[in-house]
Amino acid sequence: TTFNNYNSINESIQHTQTISTICPTHAGNGYLFGGWIDNYQGLARKSIVLTDENGFIKPNSFVGSGFEMMPDEYDNENVTCIVQAQNGGYYVAGNFNYFNGLYVDPLVRILEDLSSIKDGMDEIVFNFYPNPANNFLNIRIAEGIIKSIEIYNQTGQLLRKINSNNSREQVDISALPPGNYFIRAISRDDVFVREFVVLR
Protein backbone atom coordinates (compact mmCIF):
# COMPACT_ATOMS: atom_id res chain seq x y z
CA THR A 1 0.00 0.00 0.00
CA THR A 2 3.01 2.34 0.27
CA PHE A 3 3.86 2.03 -3.44
CA ASN A 4 2.30 4.71 -5.62
CA ASN A 5 1.00 3.36 -8.92
CA TYR A 6 -1.95 5.75 -9.20
CA ASN A 7 -2.24 7.42 -12.61
CA SER A 8 1.11 5.90 -13.56
CA ILE A 9 0.55 5.53 -17.30
CA ASN A 10 -2.28 7.01 -19.34
CA GLU A 11 -3.69 5.88 -22.65
CA SER A 12 -1.97 7.47 -25.65
CA ILE A 13 -3.41 8.51 -28.99
CA GLN A 14 -0.77 6.41 -30.71
CA HIS A 15 -0.84 3.19 -28.67
CA THR A 16 -1.80 1.49 -25.44
CA GLN A 17 0.90 2.32 -22.92
CA THR A 18 2.60 -0.57 -21.14
CA ILE A 19 5.43 -1.25 -18.70
CA SER A 20 7.80 -3.92 -20.07
CA THR A 21 10.75 -3.86 -17.67
CA ILE A 22 11.68 -2.71 -14.16
CA CYS A 23 15.19 -2.25 -12.79
CA PRO A 24 16.20 -1.07 -9.30
CA THR A 25 18.74 1.75 -9.12
CA HIS A 26 22.28 1.02 -7.96
CA ALA A 27 21.72 3.12 -4.85
CA GLY A 28 18.57 1.18 -3.99
CA ASN A 29 16.52 4.36 -3.71
CA GLY A 30 14.33 4.00 -6.76
CA TYR A 31 13.39 2.16 -9.95
CA LEU A 32 13.78 2.55 -13.70
CA PHE A 33 10.68 1.62 -15.70
CA GLY A 34 10.76 0.99 -19.45
CA GLY A 35 8.07 0.30 -22.02
CA TRP A 36 5.65 2.06 -24.34
CA ILE A 37 5.37 5.25 -22.32
CA ASP A 38 4.37 8.75 -23.39
CA ASN A 39 3.10 10.07 -20.07
CA TYR A 40 3.74 9.00 -16.49
CA GLN A 41 1.91 10.45 -13.47
CA GLY A 42 0.95 13.45 -15.55
CA LEU A 43 4.45 14.21 -16.87
CA ALA A 44 5.61 13.66 -20.46
CA ARG A 45 8.18 10.87 -20.67
CA LYS A 46 9.35 8.88 -23.68
CA SER A 47 9.84 5.15 -23.09
CA ILE A 48 11.73 5.41 -19.75
CA VAL A 49 10.89 6.71 -16.26
CA LEU A 50 12.75 7.06 -12.96
CA THR A 51 10.80 6.86 -9.69
CA ASP A 52 11.76 6.91 -6.05
CA GLU A 53 11.46 3.80 -3.84
CA ASN A 54 7.77 4.55 -3.24
CA GLY A 55 6.88 4.82 -6.93
CA PHE A 56 6.69 8.61 -7.25
CA ILE A 57 8.25 9.94 -10.44
CA LYS A 58 11.42 11.99 -10.01
CA PRO A 59 10.34 15.12 -11.92
CA ASN A 60 13.86 16.26 -12.88
CA SER A 61 14.84 12.95 -14.50
CA PHE A 62 14.61 12.11 -18.23
CA VAL A 63 13.17 15.51 -19.07
CA GLY A 64 14.58 15.37 -22.63
CA SER A 65 12.96 13.71 -25.64
CA GLY A 66 13.97 10.27 -24.32
CA PHE A 67 14.05 7.12 -26.44
CA GLU A 68 12.34 7.58 -29.81
CA MET A 69 12.04 6.10 -33.28
CA MET A 70 12.20 8.01 -36.54
CA PRO A 71 9.12 10.28 -36.90
CA ASP A 72 7.29 7.90 -39.24
CA GLU A 73 7.72 5.00 -36.79
CA TYR A 74 6.64 6.74 -33.58
CA ASP A 75 4.06 4.11 -32.65
CA ASN A 76 6.67 1.34 -32.30
CA GLU A 77 9.15 2.97 -29.93
CA ASN A 78 9.64 1.26 -26.60
CA VAL A 79 12.21 0.11 -24.06
CA THR A 80 12.06 -3.64 -23.47
CA CYS A 81 14.96 -4.31 -21.10
CA ILE A 82 16.93 -2.37 -18.47
CA VAL A 83 19.81 -4.06 -16.62
CA GLN A 84 22.31 -2.71 -14.12
CA ALA A 85 25.84 -2.42 -15.55
CA GLN A 86 28.61 -3.71 -13.27
CA ASN A 87 30.78 -0.68 -14.05
CA GLY A 88 28.00 1.79 -13.31
CA GLY A 89 24.97 2.96 -15.18
CA TYR A 90 22.43 0.77 -16.91
CA TYR A 91 22.13 -1.13 -20.18
CA VAL A 92 18.94 -0.24 -22.07
CA ALA A 93 17.63 -2.19 -25.06
CA GLY A 94 14.48 -1.89 -27.13
CA ASN A 95 12.92 -0.57 -30.28
CA PHE A 96 14.39 2.93 -30.66
CA ASN A 97 17.03 4.79 -32.65
CA TYR A 98 17.21 8.16 -30.89
CA PHE A 99 18.03 9.26 -27.34
CA ASN A 100 17.43 12.95 -26.58
CA GLY A 101 17.59 13.72 -30.30
CA LEU A 102 20.86 11.87 -30.98
CA TYR A 103 20.95 8.81 -33.24
CA VAL A 104 21.89 5.65 -31.30
CA ASP A 105 21.85 1.89 -31.67
CA PRO A 106 18.95 0.07 -29.97
CA LEU A 107 21.35 -1.00 -27.19
CA VAL A 108 22.95 1.74 -25.09
CA ARG A 109 24.52 2.19 -21.69
CA ILE A 110 23.07 5.07 -19.71
CA LEU A 111 25.78 6.56 -17.55
CA GLU A 112 25.33 7.05 -13.82
CA ASP A 113 24.05 10.62 -14.23
CA LEU A 114 21.10 9.20 -16.26
CA SER A 115 21.43 11.99 -18.84
CA SER A 116 24.16 10.73 -21.17
CA ILE A 117 24.91 7.43 -22.87
CA LYS A 118 27.53 5.21 -24.40
CA ASP A 119 26.25 3.98 -27.77
CA GLY A 120 25.93 0.20 -27.94
CA MET A 121 28.79 -1.69 -26.28
CA ASP A 122 31.46 0.58 -27.81
CA GLU A 123 33.61 3.08 -26.00
CA ILE A 124 33.49 5.31 -29.09
CA VAL A 125 30.12 6.99 -29.57
CA PHE A 126 28.96 7.77 -33.10
CA ASN A 127 26.04 10.13 -33.66
CA PHE A 128 24.58 11.84 -36.69
CA TYR A 129 21.54 14.03 -37.24
CA PRO A 130 19.01 14.89 -38.54
CA ASN A 131 17.46 11.72 -39.86
CA PRO A 132 15.49 12.13 -42.11
CA ALA A 133 17.78 14.79 -43.53
CA ASN A 134 17.42 17.51 -46.13
CA ASN A 135 20.63 19.30 -47.14
CA PHE A 136 23.19 18.45 -44.45
CA LEU A 137 24.19 15.63 -42.09
CA ASN A 138 25.99 16.50 -38.86
CA ILE A 139 28.33 13.74 -37.72
CA ARG A 140 30.09 13.36 -34.38
CA ILE A 141 32.38 10.86 -32.69
CA ALA A 142 32.51 11.58 -28.97
CA GLU A 143 35.92 9.97 -28.44
CA GLY A 144 38.35 9.73 -31.33
CA ILE A 145 38.92 11.21 -34.77
CA ILE A 146 36.98 10.57 -37.97
CA LYS A 147 39.35 9.52 -40.74
CA SER A 148 36.82 9.37 -43.57
CA ILE A 149 33.11 9.45 -44.33
CA GLU A 150 31.50 7.55 -47.20
CA ILE A 151 27.98 7.79 -48.61
CA TYR A 152 26.46 4.77 -50.38
CA ASN A 153 23.14 4.18 -52.14
CA GLN A 154 20.96 1.13 -51.48
CA THR A 155 22.80 -0.94 -54.11
CA GLY A 156 26.15 -0.37 -52.41
CA GLN A 157 27.48 2.17 -54.91
CA LEU A 158 29.89 4.68 -53.38
CA LEU A 159 28.52 8.16 -54.09
CA ARG A 160 30.86 10.35 -52.09
CA LYS A 161 33.93 10.11 -49.86
CA ILE A 162 35.14 12.83 -47.51
CA ASN A 163 38.51 12.70 -45.77
CA SER A 164 38.59 14.12 -42.27
CA ASN A 165 40.79 14.62 -39.25
CA ASN A 166 38.16 15.94 -36.85
CA SER A 167 35.69 14.55 -34.33
CA ARG A 168 32.84 16.49 -36.01
CA GLU A 169 31.89 16.97 -39.64
CA GLN A 170 29.00 18.48 -41.58
CA VAL A 171 28.35 16.68 -44.87
CA ASP A 172 26.56 18.39 -47.74
CA ILE A 173 23.93 15.98 -49.12
CA SER A 174 21.93 18.57 -51.08
CA ALA A 175 22.79 16.85 -54.39
CA LEU A 176 21.27 13.52 -53.31
CA PRO A 177 17.77 12.78 -54.56
CA PRO A 178 15.17 11.70 -51.97
CA GLY A 179 15.63 8.11 -50.84
CA ASN A 180 17.44 5.78 -48.48
CA TYR A 181 21.24 5.81 -48.14
CA PHE A 182 24.03 4.48 -45.95
CA ILE A 183 26.73 6.48 -44.22
CA ARG A 184 30.02 4.78 -43.32
CA ALA A 185 32.29 6.61 -40.90
CA ILE A 186 35.78 5.29 -40.27
CA SER A 187 37.69 6.25 -37.14
CA ARG A 188 41.16 5.14 -36.11
CA ASP A 189 39.71 2.27 -34.10
CA ASP A 190 36.29 1.45 -35.51
CA VAL A 191 33.87 1.58 -38.45
CA PHE A 192 30.27 2.79 -38.05
CA VAL A 193 27.56 2.15 -40.63
CA ARG A 194 24.14 3.77 -40.36
CA GLU A 195 21.16 4.14 -42.67
CA PHE A 196 19.65 7.56 -43.29
CA VAL A 197 16.81 9.02 -45.32
CA VAL A 198 16.80 12.09 -47.55
CA LEU A 199 13.43 13.85 -47.63
CA ARG A 200 12.52 17.03 -49.47
Side-chain angles (χ1 to χ4, degrees):
T1 58
T2 62
F3 187 81
N4 175 49
N5 62 1
Y6 176 74
N7 196 32
S8 292
I9 55 176
N10 299 318
E11 292 303 304
S12 165
I13 296 174
Q14 288 85 17
H15 54 71
T16 300
Q17 298 198 74
T18 60
I19 298 294
S20 301
T21 182
I22 303 171
C23 179
T25 60
H26 283 286
N29 60 355
Y31 300 93
L32 288 165
F33 294 86
W36 278 3
I37 303 168
D38 291 328
N39 187 288
Y40 197 89
Q41 293 178 0
L43 297 177
R45 291 295 184 272
K46 187 60 72 172
S47 305
I48 193 166
V49 174
L50 176 66
T51 73
D52 64 19
E53 63 271 24
N54 292 316
F56 291 91
I57 189 171
K58 294 189 176 181
N60 295 324
S61 63
F62 297 113
V63 294
S65 55
F67 289 101
E68 300 179 288
M69 291 292 290
M70 290 171 54
D72 59 343
E73 301 179 51
Y74 64 88
D75 58 336
N76 294 321
E77 59 205 5
N78 64 93
V79 167
T80 57
C81 184
I82 305 172
V83 179
Q84 289 184 358
Q86 291 184 355
N87 55 346
Y90 307 85
Y91 290 114
V92 179
N95 191 35
F96 52 80
N97 53 24
Y98 284 90
F99 178 72
N100 288 348
L102 296 176
Y103 188 89
V104 297
D105 287 331
L107 172 62
V108 299
R109 179 161 62 91
I110 303 179
L111 301 186
E112 204 61 50
D113 63 4
L114 299 178
S115 64
S116 56
I117 63 170
K118 290 285 187 181
D119 192 4
M121 305 295 284
D122 298 316
E123 289 303 317
I124 297 178
V125 181
F126 172 73
N127 287 309
F128 75 99
Y129 64 93
N131 189 17
N134 190 330
N135 293 317
F136 293 95
L137 275 178
N138 298 290
I139 298 163
R140 177 179 71 91
I141 290 182
E143 299 174 16
I145 298 297
I146 302 169
K147 293 173 61 178
S148 65
I149 297 167
E150 299 168 350
I151 304 292
Y152 293 85
N153 63 17
Q154 288 288 297
T155 64
Q157 179 185 7
L158 177 62
L159 304 178
R160 187 170 180 203
K161 181 175 180 177
I162 303 103
N163 292 321
S164 174
N165 193 34
N166 300 302
S167 60
R168 298 171 183 263
E169 288 289 345
Q170 186 176 75
V171 179
D172 185 351
I173 58 170
S174 58
L176 296 178
N180 291 6
Y181 299 88
F182 290 97
I183 185 168
R184 184 171 183 258
I186 302 170
S187 74
R188 291 175 180 168
D189 303 305
D190 217 332
V191 176
F192 303 91
V193 179
R194 298 288 191 271
E195 187 174 8
F196 70 95
V197 179
V198 174
L199 289 181
R200 293 194 181 88

